[in-house]
Amino acid sequence: MSHPFITVKEVGPRDGLQNETQIVSTEDKVKWIEELADTGLTHIEVSSFVSPKWIPALADAKDVFAMLTRKKGVTYSALVPNEKGLEAALLAGVDEVAVFMSASETHNKKNINKTIQEALVILEQVVQTAKQEKKQVRGYLSTVFGCPYEGEVAVSQVASITESLLQMGVDEVSLGDTIGIAHPLQVKHIMKEMEHVLPKLALHFHNTRGLASANVLAGLEAGVTTFDGAAGGIGGCPYAEGATGNIATEDLVYMLHAMGYETSVDLAKLTEAARFMERTLQKELPSYQLKL
Ligand code: HMG
Ligand code: MG
């Protein structure tokens, strides 16, 4: 059986660094993103245009974009929660904006201080403006596989919000296992329920319980061809209790290549890029490839 090409999206500079207590300098962020771009990655989430009071670690989003030397063929994106964030992101020259909300009310409220209904209204306007500006738009849906405050989340709720995001004009929805609670059979079940929109879905696993790679396998078997990772395995959502890092991108790429899937990424270069962040943060990162 021939394998489809898998798109690997790097979220370390955003999801990874947003949850670090240590503030990485703008210069080191830029160096890291440039090094990541040299590995063959085609999508890099650079930062977030959110309130600096809420996410102090990414308060320099504008400066990161200004200092960055961009590589042709790489899409540089950023998270935006509202019109104010979109305006700043457009001024910074993002290639793609990523809007985000949760499938559970409590996490949505804790993370962006809005109800789900309010968020949908705000995001509709953001997506419309971003599209008028000819930007690619990604939509993140968090707590798809479970919420730290509400527990189980109904698949019907996930399907309905995903549908709303797609109707707004979002190009792709990344389903987030925000607190790393998903298991492979659940992934299989949810993907089956969402089969009709599968080509527009990406999966975003955090590795809190060590199941991220098993969940990636379930996603692959269901036909998903886009997966997120954070180099080094750093990250987590500061407004989701117990959240830890994403699957390390280098562990994800190792697994994909070992299984015969093709990606655009050079694993050795990616592992070196992850090592750069390990040196910068001066602590051992969760990645397995970094321990070899
Ligand atoms: P709020 O306090 O309700 O906002 O926060 P507000 O509209 O009332 O404004 C309050 C202040 O924030 C004002 O400033 C605004 O100007 C400012 P003040 O008058 O007090 O000086 N403000 C902004 N500043 C900069 N950029 C903006 C912006 N908007 C308002 N865009 C808000 C609402 C959404 C802003 C806030 O809750 C927020 O920034 N939240 C971001 C939280 C976040 O980034 N979480 C992590 C990312 S999500 C995630 O990690 C999950 C994911 O990885 C997928 C998964 O794993 O599941 C994507
Ligand atoms: Mg995340």
Side-chain angles (χ1 to χ4, degrees):
M1 192 187 81
S2 76
H3 291 318
F5 180 87
I6 302 297
T7 303
V8 173
K9 298 200 170 178
E10 173 58 45
V11 300
R14 192 279 303 169
D15 201 328
L17 296 183
Q18 76 184 9
N19 205 34
E20 285 299 325
T21 41
Q22 192 182 329
I23 306 268
V24 173
S25 72
T26 309
E27 287 74 17
D28 281 342
K29 287 176 182 173
V30 169
K31 257 193 230 161
W32 195 38
I33 295 162
E34 289 174 353
E35 200 172 325
L36 288 166
D38 283 338
T39 69
L41 283 161
T42 51
H43 292 78
I44 302 177
E45 208 163 74
V46 170
S47 191
S48 297
F49 290 92
V50 296
S51 162
K53 287 188 192 133
W54 285 64
I55 306 283
L58 302 183
D60 59 352
K62 174 172 162 262
D63 302 329
V64 175
F65 271 97
M67 283 170 63
L68 197 59
T69 302
R70 301 194 197 196
K71 199 175 170 100
K72 207 163 166 268
V74 177
T75 298
Y76 297 92
S77 71
L79 242 60
V80 303
N82 52 22
E83 284 281 327
K84 187 177 168 109
L86 177 64
E87 215 173 286
L90 292 174
L91 278 174
V94 298
D95 300 314
E96 177 182 272
V97 300
V99 297
F100 60 106
M101 61 180 292
S102 311
S104 54
E105 282 292 353
T106 317
H107 182 255
N108 201 58
K109 186 80 182 166
K110 284 190 188 275
N111 197 38
I112 53 173
N113 203 21
K114 300 286 177 296
T115 65
I116 286 177
Q117 206 41 51
E118 286 166 346
L120 284 169
V121 172
I122 292 167
L123 296 191
E124 180 155 32
Q125 188 57 54
V126 170
V127 173
Q128 195 185 335
T129 312
K131 281 284 149 198
Q132 278 162 4
E133 296 294 324
K134 307 262 182 294
K135 299 297 173 187
Q136 284 285 113
V137 183
R138 170 173 242 222
Y140 277 107
L141 188 56
S142 290
T143 63
V144 163
F145 301 88
C147 170
Y149 310 104
E150 295 178 21
E152 231 173 88
V153 174
V155 186
S156 55
Q157 170 83 344
V158 171
S160 147
I161 300 177
T162 301
E163 197 59 51
S164 301
L165 290 168
L166 291 172
Q167 266 170 19
M168 282 176 202
V170 162
D171 299 292
E172 170 183 88
V173 177
S174 180
L175 300 177
D177 181 19
T178 319
I179 53 166
I181 201 167
H183 63 78
L185 291 184
Q186 185 189 19
V187 174
K188 192 175 165 184
H189 172 65
I190 294 183
M191 291 304 107
K192 184 86 192 143
E193 294 290 312
M194 314 271 288
E195 213 167 26
H196 57 296
V197 288
L198 205 76
K200 296 210 160 193
L201 297 181
L203 286 169
H204 176 105
F205 292 118
H206 285 263
N207 198 30
T208 316
R209 289 164 181 79
L211 288 180
S213 56
N215 291 329
V216 168
L217 179 60
L220 287 169
E221 286 176 352
V224 177
T225 56
T226 303
F227 294 88
D228 300 348
I234 56 175
C237 177
Y239 297 100
E241 240 167 65
T244 61
N246 287 82
I247 185 169
T249 320
E250 57 277 17
D251 292 335
L252 171 65
V253 168
Y254 167 77
M255 174 179 159
L256 291 169
H257 291 181
M259 290 172 70
Y261 288 93
E262 240 182 90
T263 75
S264 61
V265 187
D266 179 320
L267 177 60
K269 284 186 181 171
L270 177 61
T271 307
E272 274 319 297
R275 220 176 282 291
F276 171 80
M277 195 36 68
E278 188 163 62
R279 281 197 304 274
T280 305
L281 291 170
Q282 293 183 303
K283 64 175 186 185
E284 192 181 334
L285 302 187
S287 155
Y288 293 101
Q289 285 296 310
L290 284 181
K291 291 173 185 51
L292 296 178

